[in-house]
């Protein structure tokens, strides 16, 4: 990210992109493999003596362009794009953890992530959930088997905010990196590495793509963590790379072998989607704030949105989120039936299980995203039987307010 200009200018004019014909956008290298003139040349590529591409699961120029862009926005030393956000989380964890190792994770995580941590138990990787990721709690839960602290910056949908500096302090005292899923915050609202996080993950399917047209994920390495190779045994073969060890093992080993690469066309769509990330987030956050305030006036529903002064994490809006509250808001309606009635009568919001689209999306999480999650874990994630989740889009604010407030009032009759 250029330091001497604003977010959008830096995003759009990051210097020469170095595309082969000076294209203004990365060409879509929609190929599986790359041809070489001699066997010696291809040998050089495989032995990393020469930079180049061989096979698109291992690397592809369209992916590189997308990775460089997000890496710059987050201020990392390198990024690896993945087939999905879940694939990014899986690869990042498996890069650090072996059977017998432990992760400390925040509560209120994305349902898929909770599911993944359950799956990892069967591979011998144990997750300890912390009610808050503050320094003291992390220190009290950490032990010789701990390999990472994992949390969401703004949890989806509970809207708990992680104090990154606090969590980083606790993780670093315990000798492990802090991994932040920053999907709901986006690099426009916050750059976790600048607050002390070590690894940043995004589901690019959401705000970074923004158009709801491709699933993807990315892992960005901040490059500041000093790996202790006695503790992080999974990286010990990569010791010679020092601070790059996580990234090198990820790219040449775990990520490559898991086979969770991003498709070139998805990288292209997500690259062009990201062009408008700043514009969209500004509009989305303004809309969400206005909609939250309008709904908050309705006495029999309870609104959960970060910029509301009553929100327990309101203090973090200025401290870590540049004054924005993000694009997700929830409200409780009193009953599941009423939640369904409200959702079904909305004119503009689409009923869909996604967030981060330019279109406003709405869902009843308890009967969908959390259908396979224990009730106690679901409630810890801020989801109740009467919760409606809204992913606010870029529509005209007045229309959204009229639509939602009208549906809430109509549902009383
Ligand atoms: C959607 C989401 C994921 C998973 O990403 P996919 O691209 O759907 O695999 C992970 N974390 C958060 C916070 C999400 O919202």
């Amino acid at each position: 990210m250029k330091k001497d200009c604003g977010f959008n200018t830096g995003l759009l004019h990051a210097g020469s992109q170095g595309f082969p014909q000076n294209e203004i956008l990365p060409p879509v290298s929609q190929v599986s493999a790359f041809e070489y003139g001699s066997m010696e040349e291809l040998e050089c590529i495989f032995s990393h003596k020469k930079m180049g591409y061989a096979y698109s699961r291992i690397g592809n120029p369209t992916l590189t362009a997308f990775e460089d862009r997000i890496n710059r926005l987050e201020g990392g030393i390198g990024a690896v794009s993945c087939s999905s956000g879940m694939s990014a989380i899986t690869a990042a964890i498996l890069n650090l953890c072996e059977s017998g190792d432990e992760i400390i994770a925040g509560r209120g995580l994305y349902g898929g992530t909770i599911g993944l941590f359950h799956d990892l138990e069967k591979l011998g990787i144990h997750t300890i959930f912390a009610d808050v990721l503050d320094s003291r709690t992390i220190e009290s839960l950490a032990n010789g088997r701990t390999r990472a602290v994992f949390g969401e910056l703004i949890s989806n949908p509970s809207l708990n905010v992680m104090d990154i500096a606090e969590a980083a302090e606790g993780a670093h005292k315990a000798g492990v990196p802090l991994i932040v899923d920053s999907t709901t915050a986006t690099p426009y609202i916050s750059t976790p590495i600048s607050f002390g996080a070590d690894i940043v993950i995004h589901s690019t399917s959401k705000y970074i793509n923004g158009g709801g047209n491709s699933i993807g994920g990315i892992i960005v390495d901040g490059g500041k963590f000093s790996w202790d190779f006695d503790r992080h045994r999974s990286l010990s073969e990569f010791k010679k790379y020092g601070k790059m060890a996580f990234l090198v093992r990820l790219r040449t080993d775990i990520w490559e072998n898991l086979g969770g690469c991003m498709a070139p066309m998805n990288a292209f769509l997500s690259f062009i989607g990201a062009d408008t990330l700043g514009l969209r987030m500004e509009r989305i956050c303004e809309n969400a704030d206005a909609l939250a305030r309008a709904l908050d006036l309705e006495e029999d529903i309870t609104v959960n949105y970060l910029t509301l002064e009553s929100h327990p994490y309101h203090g973090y809006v200025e401290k870590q989120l540049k004054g924005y509250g993000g694009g997700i808001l929830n409200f409780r309606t009193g009953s599941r039936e009423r939640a369904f009635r409200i959702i079904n009568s909305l004119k503009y919001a689409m009923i869909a299980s996604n967030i981060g689209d330019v279109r406003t999306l709405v869902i009843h999480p308890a009967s969908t995203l959390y259908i396979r999650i224990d009730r106690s874990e679901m409630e810890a994630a801020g989801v109740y039987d009467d919760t409606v989740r809204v992913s606010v889009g870029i529509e005209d604010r007045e229309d959204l307010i009229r639509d939602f407030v009208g549906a809430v009032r109509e549902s009383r009759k």
Side-chain angles (χ1 to χ4, degrees):
M1 188 73 199
K2 285 193 171 181
K3 287 279 180 312
D4 55 350
C5 62
F7 180 89
N8 293 298
T9 313
L11 169 64
L12 297 168
H13 302 283
S16 165
Q17 306 280 323
F19 301 138
Q21 305 296 328
N22 299 322
E23 295 92 341
I24 59 165
L25 289 172
V28 185
S29 298
Q30 189 62 41
V31 295
S32 308
F34 299 78
E35 186 195 11
Y36 286 87
S38 71
M39 200 43 239
E40 286 78 5
E41 256 188 283
L42 188 55
E43 184 187 21
C44 283
I45 303 293
F46 269 79
S47 58
H48 304 297
K49 291 202 179 85
K50 211 177 127 196
M51 285 291 287
Y53 300 96
Y55 186 61
S56 286
R57 170 163 52 72
I58 305 172
N60 174 292
T62 316
L63 270 51
T64 304
F66 179 60
E67 289 163 351
D68 287 350
R69 179 173 239 193
I70 304 305
N71 181 52
R72 227 178 353 249
L73 291 180
E74 289 290 2
I77 58 162
V80 175
S81 54
C82 299
S83 56
S84 67
M86 287 319 304
S87 151
I89 298 171
T90 307
I93 299 290
L94 292 184
N95 203 38
L96 289 176
C97 295
E98 298 176 344
S99 177
D101 291 347
E102 292 185 2
I103 308 159
I104 297 173
R107 278 205 194 277
L109 298 177
Y110 176 73
T113 307
I114 298 175
L116 171 68
F117 288 165
H118 280 297
D119 295 337
L120 291 176
E121 293 286 342
K122 298 182 188 93
L123 302 181
I125 298 168
H126 178 53
T127 304
I128 301 171
F129 288 97
D131 287 327
V132 269
L133 286 180
D134 62 7
S135 175
R136 242 196 20 223
T137 311
I138 293 169
E139 273 188 276
S140 72
L141 296 175
N143 58 52
R145 295 180 299 278
T146 311
R147 298 293 174 262
V149 173
F150 180 97
E152 290 174 13
L153 175 45
I154 305 175
S155 61
N156 163 24
S158 60
L159 306 186
N160 295 344
V161 180
M162 182 204 297
D163 186 321
I164 305 172
E166 265 280 333
E169 188 190 318
H172 296 162
K173 275 191 191 154
V176 301
L178 173 64
I179 305 176
V180 175
D181 179 341
S182 194
T183 299
T184 48
T186 81
Y188 180 70
I189 291 186
S190 194
T191 44
I193 292 167
S194 69
F195 291 97
D198 301 293
I199 311 287
V200 176
I201 290 176
H202 287 283
S203 163
T204 64
S205 322
K206 317 289 172 52
Y207 295 96
I208 286 179
N209 174 287
N213 59 47
S214 39
I215 299 294
I218 199 159
I219 305 165
V220 182
D221 186 347
K224 292 190 192 127
F225 192 77
S226 296
W227 302 101
D228 166 357
F229 296 98
D230 292 327
R231 178 186 281 269
H232 289 101
R233 292 180 316 271
S234 69
L235 300 180
S236 58
E237 273 178 58
F238 297 82
K239 194 171 176 173
K240 66 175 180 196
Y241 296 103
K243 298 205 171 192
M244 297 287 286
F246 175 89
L247 204 55
V248 176
R249 182 187 186 216
L250 182 67
R251 189 171 279 288
T252 64
D253 190 4
I254 286 288
W255 171 79
E256 177 177 324
N257 295 336
L258 280 176
C261 60
M262 185 181 262
M265 183 54 88
N266 286 2
F268 176 75
L269 291 169
S270 304
F271 186 102
I272 58 174
D275 278 348
T276 56
L277 179 64
L279 264 185
R280 281 185 284 109
M281 288 315 291
E282 230 175 275
R283 172 70 170 240
I284 283 173
C285 293
E286 284 168 11
N287 277 1
D289 178 77
L291 183 59
R293 287 176 198 284
L295 286 170
D296 201 34
L297 297 175
E298 300 301 308
E299 289 203 337
D300 59 348
I301 62 165
T302 316
V303 183
N304 177 8
Y305 187 65
L306 282 170
T307 58
L308 295 179
E309 287 70 17
S310 58
H311 198 283
Y313 290 92
H314 181 254
Y316 287 98
V317 169
E318 289 304 327
K319 186 173 166 191
Q320 267 182 188
L321 307 172
K322 297 193 187 140
Y324 294 108
I328 297 174
L329 71 87
N330 305 298
F331 59 91
R332 295 188 63 179
T333 57
S335 72
R336 168 193 155 101
E337 291 66 32
R338 186 170 181 216
F340 273 49
R341 258 198 330 276
I342 292 172
I343 290 173
N344 289 339
S345 67
L346 289 166
K347 224 168 36 197
Y348 300 123
M350 293 174 164
I351 302 174
S353 65
N354 192 16
I355 58 167
D357 199 303
V358 286
R359 287 151 279 260
T360 294
L361 310 177
V362 69
I363 199 163
H364 179 253
S367 62
T368 52
L369 311 170
Y370 286 83
I371 197 163
R372 275 180 286 278
I373 308 267
D374 282 352
R375 191 175 191 87
S376 63
E377 268 179 288
M378 177 179 96
E379 294 189 353
V383 174
Y384 301 88
D385 259 344
D386 64 344
T387 302
V388 174
R389 182 188 76 182
V390 188
S391 169
V392 179
I394 63 167
E395 296 91 344
D396 298 291
R397 181 167 326 158
E398 302 71 26
D399 295 328
L400 289 180
I401 292 174
R402 200 167 354 100
D403 197 15
F404 276 88
V405 171
V408 164
R409 290 183 182 163
E410 195 60 31
S411 70
R412 280 186 201 123
K413 290 178 186 161

